[in-house]
Amino acid sequence: MATSFNPSEIWQPFGAFSMLKIQGVGQIVHLKGQVSLDKEGQVVGKNDMPAQVRKTLENIQAVLASVGGTMAEIISLTQYATDIQKFMAAGEIRKQFFAEPFPVTTTVEVVRLYHPDLLIEITATAEIPHDRFRRP
């Protein structure tokens, strides 16, 4: 049976979603798509794709850390960008969060996200080793 979790280290859900979904006994985790919001739910980096990519990846990092995981354990990412060229130009930021072997990645350009100031949303699936995994 899968369980859901919303870590207190980041902004809290305002709709019908969880920040993290845990499947099975705890190794595979499914993260809700993260965006560039601070802990109070305010947009970080309005009109600034690099700033939004950084904050979004920091949010993913915080969600994973809350259950004992790291960015190295991410298996796959799905990225939704409102401007694919600006997103691709911010690729160096990803290298600050990921090393080889990189996660599998799908990137899709979308017309807009749920808030007009958001430029990027990224969701992830990770596998955290049992010896480090902490169930909330």
Side-chain angles (χ1 to χ4, degrees):
M1 178 176 190
T3 57
S4 298
F5 177 63
N6 296 308
S8 60
E9 292 81 10
I10 66 166
W11 60 279
Q12 294 301 293
F14 51 83
F17 58 83
S18 298
M19 292 296 177
L20 182 101
K21 188 87 171 182
I22 303 165
Q23 178 180 321
V25 295
Q27 281 193 308
I28 303 296
V29 294
H30 304 272
L31 280 69
K32 181 251 181 253
Q34 289 297 313
V35 293
S36 183
L37 297 180
D38 63 17
K39 192 171 179 180
E40 289 73 43
Q42 300 300 309
V43 174
V44 173
K46 182 178 177 181
N47 298 320
D48 185 342
M49 181 66 81
Q52 289 201 20
V53 169
R54 179 176 308 284
K55 182 59 181 168
T56 299
L57 292 172
E58 287 172 352
N59 285 346
I60 289 171
Q61 192 171 43
V63 173
L64 285 172
S66 73
V67 291
T70 68
M71 298 297 272
E73 285 130 14
I74 292 178
I75 298 165
S76 67
L77 297 168
T78 303
Q79 305 166 132
Y80 303 93
T82 59
D83 185 321
I84 200 77
Q85 290 179 322
K86 287 181 181 177
F87 176 72
M88 298 305 286
E92 288 300 312
I93 293 167
R94 283 180 37 113
K95 292 181 182 174
Q96 297 170 19
F97 289 86
F98 298 104
E100 290 189 35
F102 296 114
V104 298
T105 304
T106 300
T107 305
V108 179
E109 186 173 59
V110 296
V111 173
R112 72 169 277 205
L113 298 169
Y114 80 92
H115 188 288
D117 292 338
L118 292 171
L119 306 174
I120 184 75
E121 181 169 342
I122 303 174
T123 187
T125 300
E127 181 178 4
I128 302 171
H130 280 291
D131 63 338
R132 270 194 292 108
F133 180 77
R134 296 185 312 268
R135 186 172 287 279

